[in-house]
Amino acid sequence: MTLAPETTTLRVQLRLAEPNDTAGTAATAGTAAADDWFAVCDLSVLLPGRGVAALLPDGRQVAVFLDRTGRMYAIDNRDPFSGAAVLSRGLTGSHQGRPFVASPLLKQRFDLASGVCLDDESVRVTTYEVRAH
């Protein structure tokens, strides 16, 4: 028997924002115009615990994650310590209830909700508001 992959019409979209904009804040939630959203992939592409990299219109890359509870996160794919676009390939986990991705190169952990590096709080990556629509 052959199993067909699940198909869905839901697309993962993220709100294009200025660098260092933090997604999910009360001031920005639900206030974006329809043309501020950019489709990055089908929802069926995301697997819990694995990242997906996508190219944005301005040439930056974003890493999109789905956790085991079904919540999605989107952060800049560039590791600020090495400069390499590898965060989508990192290992996911949680520390004190905070979901993170660990860089596959130097192992620094980045909070998926805030973008703050859990190992050096002076460093952060850009986060994006993300939805399935």
Side-chain angles (χ1 to χ4, degrees):
M1 174 187 348
T2 303
L3 297 176
E6 183 178 337
T7 58
T8 178
T9 58
L10 291 176
R11 303 276 295 161
V12 175
Q13 298 177 327
L14 57 94
R15 188 173 68 86
L16 298 179
E18 295 298 317
N20 298 323
D21 188 18
T22 301
T25 61
T28 61
T31 60
D35 59 347
D36 289 343
W37 292 92
F38 178 75
V40 293
C41 66
D42 286 333
L43 181 60
S44 62
V45 172
L46 295 181
L47 299 174
R50 311 242 4 225
V52 172
L55 187 63
L56 298 179
D58 64 2
R60 289 180 291 155
Q61 291 184 26
V62 65
V64 182
F65 298 90
L66 177 69
D67 71 12
R68 299 194 192 293
T69 67
R71 183 163 178 204
M72 292 182 294
Y73 302 91
I75 63 171
D76 189 31
N77 195 35
R78 186 180 159 279
D79 177 349
F81 291 94
S82 68
V86 295
L87 292 181
S88 64
R89 295 187 229 155
L91 297 174
T92 60
S94 65
H95 176 71
Q96 298 178 348
R98 296 168 72 180
F100 70 81
V101 62
S103 172
L105 297 178
L106 300 174
K107 310 303 184 239
Q108 283 90 356
R109 299 166 301 155
F110 297 92
D111 185 308
L112 290 172
S114 68
V116 172
C117 179
L118 300 178
D119 303 300
D120 181 351
E121 292 190 5
S122 68
V123 178
R124 71 181 314 125
V125 293
T126 302
T127 59
Y128 298 87
E129 187 177 350
V130 63
R131 70 179 184 185
H133 187 72

